[in-house]
Amino acid sequence: MRSTVNLAVLGLVIERPSYGYELSQRFGRRFGDLFAVGRSHIYAALDSLQRDSLIEPLPRPQPVGRRPRQPRVHYRVTADGARTYREWVAEQLRENTQRSQMLARLAVVGAGQTETIDLLLAGYELAARNGGAATAGDGDGEANGDAAERLVLRLLEEERRVMREAQQKWMAFARRELAAFDDDGS
């Protein structure tokens, strides 16, 4: 399974078993700025995950004394689903470094002039400054969730802060190296 939406839905089911509409709401709050998907995509992901035996339905009985309605099918992760998700996350973490290296190498291909490299650095610097500005308290409602959600948001914000620091240090290093290259011609 390679669908990022499916894997994101799987992660939400791992986080807390639930039903389609509630998962759609959580998906929108958590990933809305990354994926523009409708509720039908969430239900399609649930069907696909169930077909692949990564989640299973948990029918809930209706409370006694209420008018019968269409029951909400709640889903929970299977052992295969949890394993698949862990493997996918580990793979993404490994590939992130490889993607960065590949992009850096592609950016330098044909860029024999230091002016071109300086323009690439300026673009990277601008993207780094503009990226990761969201914080755990940016009004998306997630910060009011349970303790586990708040912990995850704090961890993600710290990761963004550390990444911004690292990017700034790298840009200063790259500029020094570029200046030294211009001075030495080597």
Side-chain angles (χ1 to χ4, degrees):
M1 173 183 44
R2 286 290 176 192
S3 167
T4 306
V5 172
N6 287 9
L7 287 157
V9 170
L10 179 60
L12 291 173
V13 173
I14 290 171
E15 181 180 71
R16 183 174 69 236
S18 192
Y19 57 97
Y21 179 78
E22 197 266 341
L23 286 164
S24 174
Q25 296 298 307
R26 287 174 46 215
F27 186 96
R29 286 191 307 268
R30 186 77 53 86
F31 304 111
D33 58 335
L34 300 173
F35 301 106
V37 299
R39 194 174 303 140
S40 62
H41 288 95
I42 304 303
Y43 286 105
L46 289 170
D47 289 342
S48 176
L49 293 168
Q50 186 176 355
R51 192 173 42 255
D52 292 343
S53 300
L54 302 177
I55 62 172
E56 59 189 11
L58 294 172
R60 294 206 170 170
Q62 290 293 321
V64 177
R66 286 200 167 163
R67 197 173 98 217
R69 64 177 185 166
Q70 181 68 29
R72 294 178 183 153
V73 178
H74 285 68
Y75 296 93
R76 71 175 175 191
V77 70
T78 63
D80 282 344
R83 180 188 43 74
T84 298
Y85 186 78
R86 284 191 308 271
E87 290 171 357
W88 178 78
V89 168
E91 178 183 330
Q92 295 307 304
L93 292 172
R94 280 190 305 274
E95 287 181 5
N96 190 31
T97 301
Q98 292 171 339
R99 276 192 210 112
S100 296
Q101 290 175 4
M102 177 59 86
L103 287 174
R105 291 175 188 184
L106 286 172
V108 175
V109 170
Q113 300 175 339
T114 57
E115 297 85 25
T116 305
I117 296 171
D118 193 48
L119 285 173
L120 291 170
L121 285 174
Y124 179 82
E125 194 170 23
L126 180 64
R129 256 190 269 124
N130 292 336
T135 63
D138 65 358
D140 66 357
E142 289 288 320
N144 296 323
D146 61 15
E149 278 183 292
R150 289 191 304 274
L151 172 62
V152 168
L153 289 171
R154 282 194 316 273
L155 292 173
L156 290 172
E157 180 55 31
E158 179 63 10
E159 186 263 348
R160 285 190 289 259
R161 186 191 67 74
V162 168
M163 290 302 294
R164 284 190 302 268
E165 272 182 23
Q167 288 168 337
Q168 291 168 353
K169 287 179 182 179
W170 179 84
M171 286 182 275
F173 168 79
R175 291 204 182 281
R176 285 191 306 272
E177 290 292 310
L178 187 58
F181 181 83
D182 281 344
D183 291 343
D184 296 343
S186 52

